[in-house]
Amino acid sequence: MATTQIPYSNLVPNGNLAQPAGTTTVVAPTDNMQISNAFPELTVLRVVNTGVEQDITIKAGDHPPALAAGQGDLVVTVAATTGVQFIGPFESGRFVQSDGSMLIEAETADATITAFKIPRNT
């Protein structure tokens, strides 16, 4: 199984950030996407869909450290063609993996995902 890394686009306190292109989604379950060294409470995902309606799944974490992983995955439906969804912030107790990452799955390769990191000092 190949894993596509989604890098953070850091939001700037009292500043600006040019519109990032995002990372093209890959199709699960053959492939998945990962945010390494994730900060779930400071993470907001922007999903821009250019194809058919699809579900984006933020995978429940493993235990430890995800004590609330029993609540399961978070599945968000993104509308077809020009659908845009902002997802998050997230609870680390539900979504962080034992290696400190977050895992994300998509149904098609017709979207892009951008992981925005909210600065702590705002």
Side-chain angles (χ1 to χ4, degrees), residues 1-9 21-27 31-39 45 97 99-105 111-116:
M1 178 183 332
T3 302
T4 299
Q5 294 298 315
I6 300 174
Y8 273 117
S9 293
T23 302
T24 302
T25 56
V26 294
V27 181
D31 298 311
N32 59 22
M33 295 162 286
Q34 178 183 54
I35 301 171
S36 295
N37 300 316
F39 294 90
L45 302 178
Q97 304 297 316
D99 65 358
S101 70
M102 289 177 62
L103 295 177
I104 302 160
E105 292 182 349
T112 59
I113 296 180
T114 304
F116 291 104

Side-chain angles (χ1 to χ4, degrees), residues 1-113:
M1 178 183 332
T3 302
T4 299
Q5 294 298 315
I6 300 174
Y8 273 117
S9 293
N10 294 317
L11 296 174
V12 181
N14 303 312
N16 66 301
L17 173 68
Q19 181 85 287
T23 302
T24 302
T25 56
V26 294
V27 181
T30 305
D31 298 311
N32 59 22
M33 295 162 286
Q34 178 183 54
I35 301 171
S36 295
N37 300 316
F39 294 90
E41 285 81 6
L42 305 177
T43 301
V44 175
L45 302 178
R46 181 192 66 196
V47 181
V48 180
N49 190 13
T50 58
V52 299
E53 179 179 283
Q54 69 168 309
D55 290 336
I56 300 295
T57 303
I58 293 55
K59 300 299 288 179
D62 50 13
H63 187 279
L67 300 175
Q71 294 177 20
D73 300 341
L74 172 64
V75 180
V76 176
T77 301
V78 182
T81 313
T82 56
V84 177
Q85 286 287 323
F86 285 87
I87 309 168
F90 303 95
E91 181 184 359
S92 56
R94 180 174 173 188
F95 297 107
V96 75
Q97 304 297 316
S98 58
D99 65 358
S101 70
M102 289 177 62
L103 295 177
I104 302 160
E105 292 182 349
E107 292 181 315
T108 75
D110 296 329
T112 59
I113 296 180

